[in-house]
Amino acid sequence: MGLTVPAEPIGPGEISDPSANYMVTKLSALLNWGRTRSLWPMPFGTACCAIEFMATAASRFDIARFGMERQAFSPRQADVLICAGRLPFKLAPVIRRVWDQMPQPKWSISMGACASSGGIFDTYTMVQGIDTIIPVDVYVPGCPPRPEGLLYGILMLQKKISGELVTDTDLRREQGLGPDGLFLPPRQINEVSEPFGNSVHQTRSA
């Protein structure tokens, strides 16, 4: 009669076809997937935006959902610099040195209007946008932005990282000052910040 033995039911977690147990993807997609899920932020909080960043890292908003619960207060173990707050010229050499010490690949988030454009502090002592000191990947508007705004900025950064190519060497090239560049070299940053008390060159005995 052509009777056959009925197939045994498939249990949970089992695969009917062993030959289908494989995964195909691009190397760039795999690396970017790992990078977006394991970003280690370097907090650089100088004002009220830092309080909102603390709230983002706390239990209510839980930044750990994005793999960023490990706050890297050492720049050599960080890959995302979050400038939360205004940046005076006194701290400009500091944030540039922190950025230079971070290994590649690295990204930065400008959190708040003061970090992005100087905000309400249109004075001679305040840097009018940190993009004159370091390159910026994502700008988060607000004065200060709520934790939801920073979370949205993190999602935008993850989306940007997902579209990067491993073979693109320009992404990982250190961006110094060129003929038409925007970033100030460290020596010029020191000269500009000297009248305001450059903390980099001061010592406890001075």
Side-chain angles (χ1 to χ4, degrees):
M1 299 290 296
L3 297 177
T4 57
V5 180
E8 297 181 0
I10 301 175
E14 296 181 359
I15 301 176
S16 59
D17 186 7
S19 63
N21 191 14
Y22 62 88
M23 181 179 63
V24 178
T25 184
K26 296 180 180 179
L27 179 60
S28 296
L30 181 62
L31 292 178
N32 292 337
W33 177 84
R35 288 172 177 174
T36 55
R37 269 67 177 181
S38 61
L39 295 174
W40 288 359
M42 168 69 194
F44 196 88
T46 60
C48 46
C49 286
I51 305 300
E52 299 296 329
F53 176 77
M54 296 175 194
T56 309
S59 58
R60 180 177 180 181
F61 297 95
D62 193 16
I63 203 175
R65 296 176 294 165
F66 305 93
M68 301 179 67
E69 68 275 8
R70 198 268 189 187
Q71 305 294 320
F73 291 95
S74 173
R76 302 190 187 280
Q77 284 79 38
D79 48 18
V80 178
L81 175 62
I82 301 178
C83 182
R86 58 187 180 269
L87 183 70
F89 280 105
K90 182 178 180 179
L91 288 178
V94 179
I95 193 173
R96 180 56 187 255
R97 177 172 296 183
V98 169
W99 176 256
D100 291 339
Q101 289 178 348
M102 292 173 59
Q104 292 284 1
K106 57 185 176 182
W107 302 271
S108 65
I109 296 177
S110 178
M111 181 180 178
C114 295
S116 301
S117 62
I120 61 174
F121 298 98
D122 189 7
T123 63
Y124 63 95
T125 61
M126 207 63 58
V127 175
Q128 301 301 303
I130 66 171
D131 50 5
T132 60
I133 309 298
I134 62 172
V136 177
D137 294 286
V138 176
Y139 296 88
V140 179
C143 185
R146 284 185 50 83
E148 294 91 344
L150 179 58
L151 293 178
Y152 185 75
I154 293 172
L155 291 176
M156 293 296 99
L157 180 61
Q158 290 181 341
K159 183 178 180 181
K160 182 177 183 179
I161 296 173
S162 300
E164 293 181 354
L165 297 177
V166 180
T167 56
D168 191 357
T169 57
D170 292 337
L171 292 175
R172 304 280 76 88
R173 185 177 59 186
E174 293 293 339
Q175 301 180 10
L177 183 70
D180 299 325
L182 183 63
F183 313 118
L184 301 177
R187 181 179 299 177
Q188 187 174 350
I189 296 175
N190 292 337
E191 293 176 358
V192 173
S193 60
E194 282 295 340
F196 312 111
N198 188 355
S199 60
V200 177
H201 295 162
Q202 292 178 355
T203 61
R204 294 182 181 273
S205 59

mmCIF file of all heavy atoms in Angstrom, residues 118-153:
data_model
loop_
_atom_site.group_PDB
_atom_site.id
_atom_site.type_symbol
_atom_site.label_atom_id
_atom_site.label_comp_id
_atom_site.label_asym_id
_atom_site.label_seq_id
_atom_site.Cartn_x
_atom_site.Cartn_y
_atom_site.Cartn_z
ATOM 1 N N GLY A 118 27.581 76.400 21.346
ATOM 2 C CA GLY A 118 27.815 77.424 22.350
ATOM 3 C C GLY A 118 26.577 77.797 23.141
ATOM 4 O O GLY A 118 26.678 78.329 24.249
ATOM 5 N N GLY A 119 25.403 77.542 22.573
ATOM 6 C CA GLY A 119 24.157 77.784 23.300
ATOM 7 C C GLY A 119 23.983 79.238 23.675
ATOM 8 O O GLY A 119 24.241 80.161 22.889
ATOM 9 N N ILE A 120 23.548 79.460 24.905
ATOM 10 C CA ILE A 120 23.338 80.818 25.396
ATOM 11 C C ILE A 120 24.641 81.490 25.800
ATOM 12 O O ILE A 120 24.658 82.693 26.067
ATOM 13 C CB ILE A 120 22.364 80.812 26.590
ATOM 14 C CG1 ILE A 120 22.942 79.983 27.746
ATOM 15 C CG2 ILE A 120 21.008 80.272 26.172
ATOM 16 C CD1 ILE A 120 22.115 80.030 29.012
ATOM 17 N N PHE A 121 25.721 80.726 25.817
ATOM 18 C CA PHE A 121 27.006 81.271 26.267
ATOM 19 C C PHE A 121 27.800 81.762 25.056
ATOM 20 O O PHE A 121 28.796 81.158 24.658
ATOM 21 C CB PHE A 121 27.794 80.217 27.041
ATOM 22 C CG PHE A 121 27.097 79.747 28.283
ATOM 23 C CD1 PHE A 121 26.372 78.563 28.271
ATOM 24 C CD2 PHE A 121 27.135 80.486 29.454
ATOM 25 C CE1 PHE A 121 25.717 78.118 29.402
ATOM 26 C CE2 PHE A 121 26.479 80.054 30.593
ATOM 27 C CZ PHE A 121 25.764 78.876 30.573
ATOM 28 N N ASP A 122 27.334 82.845 24.455
ATOM 29 C CA ASP A 122 28.037 83.458 23.325
ATOM 30 C C ASP A 122 29.065 84.436 23.878
ATOM 31 O O ASP A 122 28.938 85.661 23.746
ATOM 32 C CB ASP A 122 27.036 84.144 22.394
ATOM 33 C CG ASP A 122 27.686 84.614 21.105
ATOM 34 O OD1 ASP A 122 28.872 84.277 20.893
ATOM 35 O OD2 ASP A 122 27.024 85.320 20.332
ATOM 36 N N THR A 123 30.093 83.888 24.517
ATOM 37 C CA THR A 123 31.106 84.702 25.178
ATOM 38 C C THR A 123 32.496 84.313 24.676
ATOM 39 O O THR A 123 32.672 83.303 24.001
ATOM 40 C CB THR A 123 31.052 84.512 26.704
ATOM 41 O OG1 THR A 123 31.351 83.139 27.015
ATOM 42 C CG2 THR A 123 29.674 84.848 27.242
ATOM 43 N N TYR A 124 33.475 85.117 25.030
ATOM 44 C CA TYR A 124 34.840 84.899 24.556
ATOM 45 C C TYR A 124 35.506 83.712 25.257
ATOM 46 O O TYR A 124 36.558 83.249 24.814
ATOM 47 C CB TYR A 124 35.685 86.163 24.775
ATOM 48 C CG TYR A 124 35.841 86.551 26.231
ATOM 49 C CD1 TYR A 124 36.950 86.149 26.962
ATOM 50 C CD2 TYR A 124 34.878 87.323 26.875
ATOM 51 C CE1 TYR A 124 37.095 86.501 28.290
ATOM 52 C CE2 TYR A 124 35.004 87.677 28.188
ATOM 53 C CZ TYR A 124 36.117 87.269 28.907
ATOM 54 O OH TYR A 124 36.241 87.608 30.225
ATOM 55 N N THR A 125 34.938 83.234 26.335
ATOM 56 C CA THR A 125 35.554 82.129 27.064
ATOM 57 C C THR A 125 35.005 80.772 26.669
ATOM 58 O O THR A 125 35.495 79.747 27.151
ATOM 59 C CB THR A 125 35.331 82.308 28.579
ATOM 60 O OG1 THR A 125 33.917 82.311 28.850
ATOM 61 C CG2 THR A 125 35.941 83.595 29.066
ATOM 62 N N MET A 126 33.989 80.731 25.821
ATOM 63 C CA MET A 126 33.291 79.473 25.522
ATOM 64 C C MET A 126 33.532 79.070 24.073
ATOM 65 O O MET A 126 33.448 79.902 23.165
ATOM 66 C CB MET A 126 31.791 79.632 25.775
ATOM 67 C CG MET A 126 31.100 78.342 26.130
ATOM 68 S SD MET A 126 31.704 77.609 27.676
ATOM 69 C CE MET A 126 31.390 78.927 28.833
ATOM 70 N N VAL A 127 33.830 77.806 23.880
ATOM 71 C CA VAL A 127 33.992 77.261 22.533
ATOM 72 C C VAL A 127 32.619 77.213 21.867
ATOM 73 O O VAL A 127 31.670 76.643 22.412
ATOM 74 C CB VAL A 127 34.620 75.852 22.582
ATOM 75 C CG1 VAL A 127 34.683 75.245 21.187
ATOM 76 C CG2 VAL A 127 36.005 75.915 23.194
ATOM 77 N N GLN A 128 32.514 77.816 20.702
ATOM 78 C CA GLN A 128 31.239 77.869 19.982
ATOM 79 C C GLN A 128 31.080 76.628 19.103
ATOM 80 O O GLN A 128 31.088 76.689 17.880
ATOM 81 C CB GLN A 128 31.170 79.138 19.154
ATOM 82 C CG GLN A 128 31.303 80.414 19.953
ATOM 83 C CD GLN A 128 30.222 80.554 21.016
ATOM 84 O OE1 GLN A 128 29.031 80.522 20.712
ATOM 85 N NE2 GLN A 128 30.623 80.706 22.260
ATOM 86 N N GLY A 129 30.952 75.493 19.760
ATOM 87 C CA GLY A 129 30.793 74.230 19.052
ATOM 88 C C GLY A 129 32.034 73.370 19.174
ATOM 89 O O GLY A 129 33.130 73.797 18.789
ATOM 90 N N ILE A 130 31.888 72.163 19.699
ATOM 91 C CA ILE A 130 33.056 71.298 19.883
ATOM 92 C C ILE A 130 33.550 70.734 18.564
ATOM 93 O O ILE A 130 34.627 70.121 18.531
ATOM 94 C CB ILE A 130 32.738 70.148 20.858
ATOM 95 C CG1 ILE A 130 31.698 69.203 20.261
ATOM 96 C CG2 ILE A 130 32.281 70.679 22.193
ATOM 97 C CD1 ILE A 130 31.498 67.925 21.069
ATOM 98 N N ASP A 131 32.802 70.954 17.466
ATOM 99 C CA ASP A 131 33.279 70.459 16.184
ATOM 100 C C ASP A 131 34.457 71.274 15.661
ATOM 101 O O ASP A 131 35.025 70.928 14.620
ATOM 102 C CB ASP A 131 32.151 70.437 15.154
ATOM 103 C CG ASP A 131 31.400 71.753 15.071
ATOM 104 O OD1 ASP A 131 31.818 72.713 15.755
ATOM 105 O OD2 ASP A 131 30.407 71.813 14.341
ATOM 106 N N THR A 132 34.831 72.345 16.346
ATOM 107 C CA THR A 132 36.073 73.039 16.024
ATOM 108 C C THR A 132 37.270 72.409 16.722
ATOM 109 O O THR A 132 38.414 72.778 16.429
ATOM 110 C CB THR A 132 35.982 74.520 16.429
ATOM 111 O OG1 THR A 132 35.748 74.608 17.841
ATOM 112 C CG2 THR A 132 34.845 75.209 15.699
ATOM 113 N N ILE A 133 37.014 71.499 17.641
ATOM 114 C CA ILE A 133 38.082 70.847 18.398
ATOM 115 C C ILE A 133 38.215 69.385 18.002
ATOM 116 O O ILE A 133 39.313 68.880 17.769
ATOM 117 C CB ILE A 133 37.837 70.964 19.917
ATOM 118 C CG1 ILE A 133 37.569 72.424 20.298
ATOM 119 C CG2 ILE A 133 39.019 70.404 20.693
ATOM 120 C CD1 ILE A 133 38.710 73.360 20.024
ATOM 121 N N ILE A 134 37.097 68.673 17.937
ATOM 122 C CA ILE A 134 37.090 67.253 17.582
ATOM 123 C C ILE A 134 35.977 67.014 16.558
ATOM 124 O O ILE A 134 35.021 67.796 16.493
ATOM 125 C CB ILE A 134 36.863 66.350 18.819
ATOM 126 C CG1 ILE A 134 35.499 66.626 19.442
ATOM 127 C CG2 ILE A 134 37.989 66.522 19.834
ATOM 128 C CD1 ILE A 134 35.112 65.664 20.550
ATOM 129 N N PRO A 135 36.063 65.967 15.775
ATOM 130 C CA PRO A 135 34.950 65.647 14.851
ATOM 131 C C PRO A 135 33.750 65.127 15.620
ATOM 132 O O PRO A 135 33.889 64.440 16.636
ATOM 133 C CB PRO A 135 35.544 64.577 13.932
ATOM 134 C CG PRO A 135 36.650 63.977 14.725
ATOM 135 C CD PRO A 135 37.204 65.065 15.587
ATOM 136 N N VAL A 136 32.563 65.458 15.153
ATOM 137 C CA VAL A 136 31.314 65.067 15.813
ATOM 138 C C VAL A 136 30.499 64.215 14.853
ATOM 139 O O VAL A 136 30.362 64.549 13.672
ATOM 140 C CB VAL A 136 30.506 66.306 16.254
ATOM 141 C CG1 VAL A 136 29.176 65.894 16.867
ATOM 142 C CG2 VAL A 136 31.305 67.127 17.247
ATOM 143 N N ASP A 137 29.961 63.117 15.355
ATOM 144 C CA ASP A 137 29.135 62.224 14.545
ATOM 145 C C ASP A 137 27.650 62.511 14.696
ATOM 146 O O ASP A 137 26.909 62.479 13.717
ATOM 147 C CB ASP A 137 29.411 60.761 14.935
ATOM 148 C CG ASP A 137 30.823 60.334 14.585
ATOM 149 O OD1 ASP A 137 31.105 60.126 13.400
ATOM 150 O OD2 ASP A 137 31.657 60.202 15.506
ATOM 151 N N VAL A 138 27.184 62.767 15.926
ATOM 152 C CA VAL A 138 25.757 62.973 16.179
ATOM 153 C C VAL A 138 25.593 64.195 17.076
ATOM 154 O O VAL A 138 26.302 64.334 18.088
ATOM 155 C CB VAL A 138 25.113 61.736 16.839
ATOM 156 C CG1 VAL A 138 23.660 62.018 17.185
ATOM 157 C CG2 VAL A 138 25.202 60.530 15.920
ATOM 158 N N TYR A 139 24.679 65.083 16.706
ATOM 159 C CA TYR A 139 24.322 66.244 17.516
ATOM 160 C C TYR A 139 22.967 65.981 18.163
ATOM 161 O O TYR A 139 21.998 65.657 17.476
ATOM 162 C CB TYR A 139 24.246 67.511 16.660
ATOM 163 C CG TYR A 139 25.552 67.930 16.036
ATOM 164 C CD1 TYR A 139 25.944 67.424 14.802
ATOM 165 C CD2 TYR A 139 26.392 68.836 16.670
ATOM 166 C CE1 TYR A 139 27.140 67.806 14.218
ATOM 167 C CE2 TYR A 139 27.585 69.230 16.097
ATOM 168 C CZ TYR A 139 27.954 68.706 14.869
ATOM 169 O OH TYR A 139 29.136 69.089 14.295
ATOM 170 N N VAL A 140 22.901 66.160 19.486
ATOM 171 C CA VAL A 140 21.646 65.991 20.223
ATOM 172 C C VAL A 140 21.181 67.373 20.659
ATOM 173 O O VAL A 140 21.813 68.001 21.509
ATOM 174 C CB VAL A 140 21.830 65.069 21.441
ATOM 175 C CG1 VAL A 140 20.518 64.929 22.203
ATOM 176 C CG2 VAL A 140 22.343 63.701 21.011
ATOM 177 N N PRO A 141 20.097 67.908 20.096
ATOM 178 C CA PRO A 141 19.643 69.248 20.450
ATOM 179 C C PRO A 141 18.954 69.258 21.806
ATOM 180 O O PRO A 141 18.510 68.231 22.318
ATOM 181 C CB PRO A 141 18.678 69.599 19.318
ATOM 182 C CG PRO A 141 18.121 68.283 18.890
ATOM 183 C CD PRO A 141 19.239 67.290 19.062
ATOM 184 N N GLY A 142 18.833 70.466 22.365
ATOM 185 C CA GLY A 142 18.144 70.620 23.643
ATOM 186 C C GLY A 142 18.979 71.394 24.628
ATOM 187 O O GLY A 142 20.196 71.498 24.492
ATOM 188 N N CYS A 143 18.313 71.965 25.635
ATOM 189 C CA CYS A 143 19.013 72.757 26.639
ATOM 190 C C CYS A 143 18.344 72.576 28.006
ATOM 191 O O CYS A 143 17.549 73.427 28.432
ATOM 192 C CB CYS A 143 19.026 74.224 26.230
ATOM 193 S SG CYS A 143 20.008 75.276 27.335
ATOM 194 N N PRO A 144 18.646 71.507 28.727
ATOM 195 C CA PRO A 144 19.386 70.339 28.244
ATOM 196 C C PRO A 144 18.428 69.348 27.594
ATOM 197 O O PRO A 144 17.230 69.371 27.856
ATOM 198 C CB PRO A 144 19.970 69.767 29.532
ATOM 199 C CG PRO A 144 18.948 70.080 30.571
ATOM 200 C CD PRO A 144 18.345 71.403 30.173
ATOM 201 N N PRO A 145 18.940 68.446 26.774
ATOM 202 C CA PRO A 145 18.060 67.417 26.201
ATOM 203 C C PRO A 145 17.653 66.394 27.246
ATOM 204 O O PRO A 145 18.434 66.073 28.154
ATOM 205 C CB PRO A 145 18.928 66.778 25.110
ATOM 206 C CG PRO A 145 20.322 67.037 25.550
ATOM 207 C CD PRO A 145 20.309 68.342 26.269
ATOM 208 N N ARG A 146 16.447 65.903 27.139
ATOM 209 C CA ARG A 146 15.984 64.876 28.045
ATOM 210 C C ARG A 146 16.686 63.548 27.738
ATOM 211 O O ARG A 146 17.270 63.396 26.671
ATOM 212 C CB ARG A 146 14.476 64.702 27.927
ATOM 213 C CG ARG A 146 13.681 65.807 28.606
ATOM 214 C CD ARG A 146 12.199 65.508 28.564
ATOM 215 N NE ARG A 146 11.885 64.162 29.020
ATOM 216 C CZ ARG A 146 11.751 63.824 30.314
ATOM 217 N NH1 ARG A 146 11.903 64.735 31.237
ATOM 218 N NH2 ARG A 146 11.447 62.586 30.637
ATOM 219 N N PRO A 147 16.643 62.597 28.665
ATOM 220 C CA PRO A 147 17.264 61.288 28.386
ATOM 221 C C PRO A 147 16.751 60.636 27.114
ATOM 222 O O PRO A 147 17.505 59.945 26.430
ATOM 223 C CB PRO A 147 16.912 60.474 29.630
ATOM 224 C CG PRO A 147 16.770 61.481 30.725
ATOM 225 C CD PRO A 147 16.179 62.683 30.064
ATOM 226 N N GLU A 148 15.465 60.852 26.778
ATOM 227 C CA GLU A 148 14.956 60.286 25.531
ATOM 228 C C GLU A 148 15.690 60.852 24.317
ATOM 229 O O GLU A 148 15.881 60.155 23.315
ATOM 230 C CB GLU A 148 13.454 60.547 25.392
ATOM 231 C CG GLU A 148 12.605 59.843 26.430
ATOM 232 C CD GLU A 148 12.363 60.684 27.666
ATOM 233 O OE1 GLU A 148 13.083 61.677 27.848
ATOM 234 O OE2 GLU A 148 11.457 60.363 28.433
ATOM 235 N N GLY A 149 16.090 62.125 24.408
ATOM 236 C CA GLY A 149 16.834 62.726 23.302
ATOM 237 C C GLY A 149 18.200 62.089 23.123
ATOM 238 O O GLY A 149 18.639 61.837 21.993
ATOM 239 N N LEU A 150 18.880 61.815 24.233
ATOM 240 C CA LEU A 150 20.178 61.153 24.142
ATOM 241 C C LEU A 150 20.024 59.727 23.630
ATOM 242 O O LEU A 150 20.841 59.267 22.819
ATOM 243 C CB LEU A 150 20.870 61.162 25.504
ATOM 244 C CG LEU A 150 22.243 60.479 25.554
ATOM 245 C CD1 LEU A 150 23.210 61.120 24.571
ATOM 246 C CD2 LEU A 150 22.811 60.520 26.966
ATOM 247 N N LEU A 151 18.989 59.036 24.076
ATOM 248 C CA LEU A 151 18.754 57.683 23.579
ATOM 249 C C LEU A 151 18.499 57.692 22.079
ATOM 250 O O LEU A 151 18.959 56.799 21.352
ATOM 251 C CB LEU A 151 17.577 57.041 24.322
ATOM 252 C CG LEU A 151 17.790 56.735 25.813
ATOM 253 C CD1 LEU A 151 16.521 56.162 26.418
ATOM 254 C CD2 LEU A 151 18.956 55.788 26.009
ATOM 255 N N TYR A 152 17.758 58.684 21.604
ATOM 256 C CA TYR A 152 17.524 58.790 20.164
ATOM 257 C C TYR A 152 18.831 59.069 19.428
ATOM 258 O O TYR A 152 19.062 58.537 18.330
ATOM 259 C CB TYR A 152 16.506 59.887 19.881
ATOM 260 C CG TYR A 152 16.117 59.990 18.424
ATOM 261 C CD1 TYR A 152 15.260 59.053 17.856
ATOM 262 C CD2 TYR A 152 16.605 61.012 17.625
ATOM 263 C CE1 TYR A 152 14.895 59.144 16.522
ATOM 264 C CE2 TYR A 152 16.252 61.108 16.294
ATOM 265 C CZ TYR A 152 15.395 60.170 15.748
ATOM 266 O OH TYR A 152 15.047 60.258 14.419
ATOM 267 N N GLY A 153 19.690 59.901 20.028
ATOM 268 C CA GLY A 153 20.991 60.145 19.419
ATOM 269 C C GLY A 153 21.847 58.893 19.362
ATOM 270 O O GLY A 153 22.591 58.676 18.398
#
